[in-house]
């Protein structure tokens, strides 16, 4: 549900504002909004406050930069307890050492990469030069060629400008050719330009080897190839020691600096005169006791008032936080990254919590696949236990432990329903258990456990499962439209009310008409309901003045039919799983013991491939039905709310205030 919110207004002497903000930051439940009134101007930084704000910001940036250089995350810790000057003094040497060491490590890594890349060509080119690169009279131009025909191009280019005043030598080098052109000193630039015009560029070394001749570069590379890795190892050891030494102090500095900067920045949202100030904010109604307790310590200096937020006239301004029980709250992440419901509307989280894992289980419905999901859940639970984030660099995923914990809860719900439907369908890696006689289809085979709905037998079960899927569609679409009608009536938006009521009536008539047409069965009671439904639809068009509802009604009916995908996607996966298992058993029947082993490996590989290719669809299809077919019915995306962002210490996570 959307948490009821209350408005907070605090006024008091200006000299107490810093102390009050510190207290509000400590309790971390008040979202401060900018207060602008004609009576009081907005708060203006004094020169001391502005200087302190900038300096604390520099401490934040310096600590963050140093932590990143050391490969440490910026996590809150016990804050630094000294003054601003002391924080700056402690930060400076740590940040400087981190910067110097990381620069040195990067420089050495680049040098080692250059050696790995160019040492072999330089060795070969220097050997071909025979010391001519040290001569006062001739110049040596080294270059690498992709193919042998480039040698003819180079020869022609040099002959064209120098006639016979050059020497060209080459040797094969790992599919390419290392070559040198020896020319007179006076002809060096002419030769270089001629080669460049043919797209042949001179090999120029960079970094610590820039400007060296081939002979000098060869000697230098041999020397550095031995020393640079040792130096890099020493720098890495120094970085490890610095990381152990500086991680705690840097995090403490960062924590304190972030809080101090946030507290100073919050001053700009306050209205203040010469002697007094006024502060405006929002708090969840259930947490107002926390605020009253905190403000009680200032009762001799400040006054405050709390009153419920008006959802009819202030809905656009009121921040929104969702309050759900432990069985529903983990599913909020599937809502909040899409949109924040507007204050005074409706929180659909419980619908996601009920239907998403249920439909996922109905689609997958395989005990073997459920076991694989259990392994994934165990791995993720291990991350939560060790308080480690989930990081998948390939997809750019980085989830903190609290988010991973919610993900594990959602995954466990999905696993539960996958197991339930796995028993109903009698599927374990497709029909593997049927082959073993554990599951059996009554009337066809014998075994231990009867298969209640053999969904892979489409001739017998398709109609039932399609009707069940359509029934879900009717429930969801009617529920969504019912919510829209309720919200429209509650807030006096009669156009929305009549639109929703009209679609409810029109869909009722359309469903009954479709039933009678397909079955050939009609009754007076059903016809009466159908005509009433269409009459309500026509009345709603008149009342809402939305003529386009006529064209939109079939689309609404199509949204109901869209729920057939629950069956279609699931049965397609089941048939592919059966084929994978049948393939394994076919090999076992033909090849004996070896066939059993080969069949098991091949079947498992095929199952994993099928699961990898279809899993994303199995997840997206049920959640899409909720996000699109259901959410659009009650206007979830039409109006956005403001997320609740309380003013709090960086040490408090979002859940601590809730």
């Amino acid at each position: 549900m959307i948490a009821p919110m209350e408005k907070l207004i605090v006024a008091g002497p200006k000299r107490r504002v810093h102390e009050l903000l510190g207290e509000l930051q400590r309790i971390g439940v008040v979202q401060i909004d900018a207060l602008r009134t004609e009576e009081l101007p907005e708060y203006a930084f004094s020169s001391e406050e502005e200087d302190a704000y900038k300096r604390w910001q520099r401490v934040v940036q310096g600590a963050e930069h140093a932590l990143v250089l050391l490969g440490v995350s910026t996590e809150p810790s016990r804050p630094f307890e000294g003054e601003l000057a002391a924080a700056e003094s402690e930060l400076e040497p740590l940040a400087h050492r981190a910067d110097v060491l990381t620069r040195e490590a990067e420089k050495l890594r680049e040098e080692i990469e250059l050696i790995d890349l160019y040492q072999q060509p330089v060795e070969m080119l220097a050997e071909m030069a025979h010391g001519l690169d040290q001569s006062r009279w001739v110049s040596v131009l080294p270059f690498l060629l992709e193919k042998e025909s480039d040698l003819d191009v180079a020869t022609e280019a040099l002959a064209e400008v120098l006639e016979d005043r050059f020497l060209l030598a080459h040797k094969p080098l790992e599919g390419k050719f290392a070559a040198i052109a020896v020319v007179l000193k006076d002809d060096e630039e002419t030769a270089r330009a001629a080669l460049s015009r043919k797209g042949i560029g001179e090999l120029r070394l960079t970094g610590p080897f820039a400007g060296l001749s081939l002979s000098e570069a060869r000697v230098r590379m041999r020397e550095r190839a031995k020393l640079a890795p040792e130096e890099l190892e020493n720098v890495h050891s120094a970085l490890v020691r610095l990381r152990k030494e500086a991680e705690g102090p840097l995090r403490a500095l960062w924590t304190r600096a972030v809080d101090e900067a946030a507290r100073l920045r919050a001053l700009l949202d306050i209205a203040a005169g010469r002697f007094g100030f006024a502060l405006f904010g929002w708090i969840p109604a259930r947490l107002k006791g926390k605020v009253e307790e905190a403000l009680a310590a200032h009762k001799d200096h400040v006054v405050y008032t709390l009153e419920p937020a008006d959802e009819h006239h202030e809905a656009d301004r009121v921040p929104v936080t969702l309050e759900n029980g432990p069985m529903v709250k983990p599913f909020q992440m599937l809502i909040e990254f899409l949109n924040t419901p507007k204050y005074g509307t409706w929180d659909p989280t419980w619908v996601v919590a009920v239907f998403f894992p249920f439909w996922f289980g109905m689609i997958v419905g395989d005990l073997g696949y459920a076991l694989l999901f259990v392994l994934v859940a165990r791995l993720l639970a291990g991350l939560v236990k060790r308080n480690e984030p989930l990081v998948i660099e390939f997809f750019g995923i980085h989830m903190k432990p609290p988010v991973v914990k919610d993900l594990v809860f959602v995954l466990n719900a999905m696993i539960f329903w996958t197991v339930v439907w796995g028993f109903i369908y009698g599927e374990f890696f497709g029909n593997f258990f049927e082959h073993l006689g554990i599951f059996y289809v009554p009337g066809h085979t014998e075994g231990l456990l009867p298969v209640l709905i053999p969904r892979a037998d489409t001739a017998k079960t398709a109609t039932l499962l399609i009707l069940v899927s359509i029934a879900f569609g009717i429930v969801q679409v009617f529920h969504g439209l019912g919510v829209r009608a309720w919200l429209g009536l509650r807030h006096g938006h009669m156009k929305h009310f009549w639109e929703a009521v009209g679609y409810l009536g029109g869909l009722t008539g359309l469903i009954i008409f479709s039933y009678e047409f397909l079955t050939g069965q009609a009754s007076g009671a059903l016809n009466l309901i159908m005509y009433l439904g269409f009459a309500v639809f026509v009345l709603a068009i008149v009342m809402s003045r939305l003529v386009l509802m006529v064209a939109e009604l079939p689309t609404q009916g199509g949204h109901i039919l869209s729920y057939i995908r629950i069956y279609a996607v699931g049965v397609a996966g089941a048939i592919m799983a059966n084929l994978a298992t049948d393939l394994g058993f076919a090999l076992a029947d033909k090849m004996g013991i070896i066939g059993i082993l080969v069949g098991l490996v091949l079947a498992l590989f095929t199952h994993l491939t099928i699961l990898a290719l279809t899993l994303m669809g199995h997840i997206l299809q049920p959640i899409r039905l909720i996000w699109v077919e259901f959410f659009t019915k009650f206007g979830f995306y039409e109006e956005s709310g403001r997320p609740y962002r309380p003013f709090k210490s960086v040490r408090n996570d979002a859940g601590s205030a809730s």
Side-chain angles (χ1 to χ4, degrees):
M1 60 172 286
I2 296 175
M5 301 293 287
E6 297 215 357
K7 294 183 290 187
L8 169 69
I9 299 176
V10 184
K14 194 174 180 180
R15 57 188 170 81
R16 311 287 298 195
V17 68
H18 288 276
E19 185 180 348
L20 178 69
L21 284 175
E23 190 68 17
L24 294 181
Q25 188 179 55
R26 182 189 64 80
I27 61 174
V29 299
V30 178
Q31 176 168 324
I32 298 175
D33 273 2
L35 180 61
R36 302 292 178 256
T37 67
E38 294 181 1
E39 292 78 8
L40 286 174
E42 59 186 272
Y43 192 98
F45 273 158
S46 66
S47 58
E48 292 82 3
E49 289 168 335
E50 185 172 6
D51 178 65
Y53 176 68
K54 291 179 179 178
R55 290 168 65 189
W56 279 119
Q57 279 288 79
R58 285 195 291 269
V59 174
V60 171
Q61 295 163 3
E64 280 183 354
H65 181 64
L67 286 167
V68 169
L69 291 179
L70 295 174
V72 179
S73 60
T74 52
E75 295 179 3
S77 69
R78 184 180 181 88
F80 177 77
E81 296 181 354
E83 299 298 324
L84 175 54
E88 292 172 325
S89 297
E90 180 158 344
L91 172 64
E92 196 278 330
L94 297 175
H96 177 71
R97 288 167 60 193
D99 188 58
V100 169
L101 287 172
T102 50
R103 285 177 185 271
E104 183 64 23
E106 183 63 27
K107 180 181 176 182
L108 288 167
R109 278 193 293 267
E110 290 177 357
E111 185 178 8
I112 292 171
E113 288 174 4
L114 282 172
I115 293 172
D116 291 340
L117 186 61
Y118 290 114
Q119 187 173 20
Q120 187 177 356
V122 167
E123 289 279 356
M124 184 173 290
L125 290 166
E127 182 181 344
M128 286 191 292
H130 289 294
L132 289 175
D133 55 319
Q134 305 288 341
S135 172
R136 297 170 55 190
W137 313 107
V138 297
S139 295
V140 175
L141 303 179
F143 45 93
L144 298 176
L145 301 176
E146 293 292 331
K147 50 187 181 295
E148 191 171 5
S149 60
D150 290 340
L151 292 168
D152 297 332
V153 175
T155 302
E156 291 174 6
L158 292 171
E160 184 178 338
V161 295
L162 300 180
E163 297 178 354
D164 59 353
R165 300 192 310 275
F166 71 92
L167 177 66
L168 187 65
H170 71 277
K171 284 186 178 181
L173 175 67
E174 295 182 350
K176 298 182 181 181
F177 291 89
I180 60 169
V182 183
V183 300
L184 296 172
K185 283 285 186 183
D186 293 341
D187 294 332
E188 180 180 350
E189 291 303 323
T190 303
R192 184 177 287 120
L195 291 171
S196 179
R197 283 194 295 271
K198 297 296 184 179
I200 299 174
E202 181 183 1
L203 175 63
R204 292 180 179 272
L205 299 176
T206 59
F209 311 106
L212 298 180
S213 66
L214 289 172
S215 300
E216 293 169 337
R218 175 170 59 177
V219 173
R220 178 70 173 168
M221 283 187 176
R222 287 176 177 176
E223 176 187 340
R224 296 302 299 161
K226 296 179 180 179
L227 297 178
E230 296 177 5
E231 293 175 6
L232 181 59
E233 183 62 31
N234 292 334
V235 172
H236 281 162
S237 299
L239 278 169
V240 170
R241 291 193 298 271
L242 180 59
R243 185 182 299 120
K244 292 179 180 178
E245 173 190 340
E247 179 179 349
L250 285 173
R251 280 180 169 168
L253 287 165
W254 180 81
T255 302
R256 172 68 182 283
V258 169
D259 282 353
E260 291 287 350
R263 194 154 58 243
L264 288 164
R265 188 168 54 249
L267 291 170
L268 301 179
D269 289 329
I270 293 174
R274 185 176 178 183
F275 301 109
F277 77 90
L279 176 148
F280 175 76
W282 307 91
I283 58 169
R286 68 182 181 85
L287 296 175
K288 72 177 184 178
K290 246 185 173 182
V291 176
E292 291 175 328
E293 181 181 345
L295 293 177
H298 302 270
K299 63 181 179 180
D300 295 333
H301 307 285
V302 302
V303 293
Y304 69 92
T305 179
L306 283 164
E307 60 180 78
D310 187 343
E311 68 178 50
H312 298 291
H313 301 98
E314 298 179 316
D316 291 330
R317 300 175 58 201
V318 184
V320 172
T321 182
L322 305 180
E323 292 180 352
N324 290 295
M327 301 297 290
V328 175
K329 188 173 181 179
F331 291 87
Q332 287 179 191
M333 62 181 176
L334 296 175
I335 299 290
E336 292 171 336
F337 87 95
L338 285 174
N339 189 25
T340 300
K342 187 176 180 181
Y343 190 74
T345 57
W346 187 65
D347 173 20
T349 306
W350 71 268
V351 175
V352 179
V354 171
F355 287 98
F356 168 63
F358 182 85
W359 286 338
F360 176 84
M362 187 175 176
I363 289 172
V364 179
D366 190 293
L367 297 172
Y369 292 167
L371 286 178
L372 298 179
F373 299 148
V374 168
L375 294 177
V376 175
R378 291 288 297 271
L379 290 173
L380 295 177
L383 292 178
V384 176
K385 188 175 182 180
R386 297 189 300 271
N387 197 35
E388 297 177 3
L390 171 63
V391 180
I392 306 177
E393 294 292 352
F394 182 79
F395 295 105
I397 294 175
H398 188 285
M399 294 184 181
K400 294 183 177 180
V403 180
V404 179
K405 183 179 180 181
D406 288 344
L407 182 61
V408 171
F409 185 93
V410 173
L411 183 56
N412 284 333
M414 295 160 66
I415 292 169
F416 171 79
W417 286 113
T418 301
V419 170
V420 171
W421 282 101
F423 277 106
I424 293 173
Y425 296 145
E427 294 179 13
F428 181 92
F429 290 114
N431 55 6
F432 185 80
F433 274 6
E434 281 189 56
H435 282 281
L436 299 181
I438 297 175
F439 283 120
Y440 73 96
V441 179
H444 290 272
T445 57
E446 295 182 357
L448 296 176
L449 300 172
V451 177
L452 301 179
I453 304 177
R455 63 171 170 174
D457 188 351
T458 55
K460 290 188 175 181
T461 60
T463 301
L464 170 64
L465 291 175
I466 288 173
L467 289 176
V468 170
S469 300
I470 291 175
F472 283 130
I474 293 173
V475 170
Q476 286 262 284
V477 171
F478 274 56
H479 181 202
L481 292 171
V483 171
R484 186 170 182 84
W486 170 68
L487 290 174
L489 192 63
R490 179 180 175 184
H491 295 295
H493 299 158
M494 299 309 295
K495 186 175 182 179
H496 292 166
F497 169 77
W498 283 111
E499 180 186 15
V501 169
Y503 283 137
L504 285 170
L507 286 173
T508 300
L510 200 61
I511 291 169
I512 294 175
F513 173 80
S514 301
Y515 170 77
E516 293 183 344
F517 178 79
L518 293 172
T519 63
Q521 299 178 6
S523 69
L526 287 178
N527 285 334
L528 177 61
I529 296 173
M530 180 179 67
Y531 294 138
L532 284 174
F534 286 135
V536 170
F537 179 67
V538 173
L539 175 63
I541 293 175
V542 174
M543 298 300 294
S544 65
R545 300 180 183 178
L546 293 173
V547 180
L548 289 177
M549 287 176 62
V550 176
E552 185 66 20
L553 182 61
T555 302
Q556 301 292 331
H559 288 172
I560 293 176
L561 295 178
S562 184
Y563 284 73
I564 294 176
R565 72 185 65 226
I566 297 173
Y567 163 72
V569 174
V571 76
I575 291 173
M576 287 191 290
N578 285 355
L579 290 174
T581 298
D582 289 341
L583 174 64
F585 274 95
L587 289 173
D589 290 340
K590 290 188 176 183
M591 300 173 64
I593 298 297
I594 296 177
I596 293 175
L597 297 176
V598 173
L600 282 173
V601 172
L602 184 60
L604 181 59
F605 174 78
T606 307
H607 275 292
L608 292 175
T609 302
I610 291 171
L611 186 61
L613 294 175
T614 60
L615 181 59
M616 188 58 68
H618 292 165
I619 294 173
L620 289 180
Q621 294 299 340
I623 197 63
R624 179 201 176 278
L625 292 172
I626 298 172
W627 284 347
V628 178
E629 272 72 9
F630 179 61
F631 280 9
T632 54
K633 296 298 170 289
F634 63 91
F636 179 78
Y637 302 106
E638 293 177 12
E639 295 181 304
S640 297
R642 296 176 60 209
Y644 169 59
R645 298 285 185 263
F647 174 61
K648 56 186 175 61
S649 168
V650 71
R651 288 174 290 162
N652 299 338
D653 58 29
S656 64
S658 302

